[in-house]
Amino acid sequence: MGRSRDNRRRAAAEAVVEAVEGGLAELIPDPDRARAWSLLIDGAPQSHVDLDDPAHLSFEYQRRIGHVIDLAAPPGKPVQAVHLGGGALTLARYTAATRPRSTQQVVERDAALVQLVRRELPLDAGARIRVRSADAREGLAKVPDGWADLIVADVFSGARTPAHLTSTEFLDEVRRALRPGGVYTANLADGPPLTHLRAQIATAAARFAELALIADPAVLRGKRFGNAILVASDSPLPLAELTRRAASDPHPARLEHGAKLADFTGGATPVTDTTAVASPAPPPSVFR
């Protein structure tokens, strides 16, 4: 009887389509989960949220960031987190579910998108999540010095990371807002010949003592366009556990660090505000 009722509920659910500042937003119901939705902007998948199970991460790149969140502090310990880029607030919901009493700030430039998500996919009343509609770098500048245990960057405009979020000056702001030993993680996207990704690793290496990169092996070999997760800190990273979790994912990934990661940069130089460009646009085939 319960299953039949869930099936009727899913059948009755309809997509929500609305214009936002970043394009045409679509909330598509998940046929396999009663209260789960995918967010698309101009046809490009952005987020997936299960209101009944906010600890469920459907997108592989978000699961990889989820591993970083899990290991950023002892299990269940509340953290102070900043999320640059909100989407459907998936990772902020995940942090609230897995680390109750965490205090979080989300900076999302698209105010219309924030309103849509709040209305259609409301946050849990007990979640300590503040959402600010602002440019990611401007919002980060308002975070007090040393406030954040964790900063997550997942910012895309038209499927590209804006240039001003790729520079050493941007990472100076990240470092300022992080407490000593805090963790920065970023979703980077690139394809062959990986010019952008190599430059981003060189940029992070100029500002952080410890780095790791998690990605599908085919992406790291420059065989296809895809996401790579940067992890950075001034303290040692939990490399062994990150490696294990990445390898055991339904879509296994590889972790690179140390000399191999330095070699991966191929002599790329750090990006500054004067040389920064947006990340490359994904080929149309990525979203088919």
Side-chain angles (χ1 to χ4, degrees):
M1 184 69 176
R3 178 175 296 180
S4 175
R5 185 164 53 249
D6 285 346
N7 288 341
R8 287 198 300 271
R9 184 189 307 164
R10 285 194 291 271
E14 295 181 358
V16 178
V17 181
E18 196 166 299
V20 296
E21 295 167 23
L24 189 67
E26 299 174 84
L27 288 173
I28 309 295
D30 186 331
D32 299 318
R33 288 176 170 261
R35 297 182 67 228
W37 300 77
S38 291
L39 169 66
L40 285 69
I41 304 290
D42 286 340
Q46 301 289 324
S47 303
H48 179 278
V49 168
D50 188 335
L51 297 177
D52 289 332
D53 183 11
H56 173 75
L57 298 176
S58 179
F59 290 2
E60 61 187 66
Y61 90 85
Q62 290 185 326
R63 287 198 301 275
R64 291 167 189 164
I65 295 177
H67 300 327
V68 178
I69 295 171
D70 291 345
L71 298 172
K77 180 183 178 181
V79 295
Q80 296 186 161
V82 177
H83 300 264
L84 305 178
L89 309 179
T90 303
L91 292 169
R93 297 173 201 264
Y94 178 85
T95 305
T98 59
R99 296 185 176 280
R101 302 182 308 284
S102 290
T103 303
Q104 302 185 75
Q105 299 184 38
V106 178
V107 184
E108 169 56 59
R109 182 171 187 167
D110 195 327
L113 176 61
V114 170
Q115 292 177 359
L116 171 65
V117 169
R118 280 188 175 279
R119 185 184 75 237
E120 300 294 336
L121 307 175
L123 288 165
D124 185 280
R128 300 171 63 179
I129 300 172
R130 177 187 177 188
V131 184
R132 176 185 294 138
S133 296
D135 171 80
R137 191 155 157 180
E138 292 174 1
L140 179 61
K142 296 180 180 179
V143 176
D145 292 2
W147 183 85
D149 299 299
L150 173 70
I151 296 178
V152 179
D154 185 16
V155 185
F156 288 86
S157 176
R160 304 177 71 183
T161 300
H164 69 298
L165 305 180
T166 68
S167 66
T168 51
E169 290 89 342
F170 166 67
L171 290 185
D172 287 337
E173 274 298 300
V174 170
R175 282 180 56 97
R176 180 199 59 76
L178 277 176
R179 67 163 177 79
V183 177
Y184 171 64
T185 184
N187 178 24
L188 309 175
D190 200 7
L194 299 180
T195 302
H196 173 74
L197 185 56
R198 298 181 201 279
Q200 286 302 286
I201 300 305
T203 304
R207 291 298 184 266
F208 288 96
E210 303 290 335
L211 299 180
L213 187 69
I214 307 169
D216 185 296
V219 173
L220 291 175
R221 291 196 301 267
K223 298 295 185 181
R224 68 171 182 86
F225 193 98
N227 299 92
I229 304 305
L230 169 70
V231 191
S233 179
D234 281 333
S235 295
L237 295 168
L239 297 174
E241 185 61 15
L242 276 174
T243 299
R244 187 191 69 78
R245 293 187 182 212
S248 61
D249 189 83
H251 294 89
R254 193 169 81 217
L255 182 144
E256 295 287 10
H257 65 96
K260 285 188 176 180
L261 186 55
D263 290 344
F264 174 80
T265 64
T269 57
V271 175
T272 66
D273 278 346
T274 57
T275 62
V277 296
S279 67
S285 60
V286 169
F287 303 125
R288 287 177 187 167

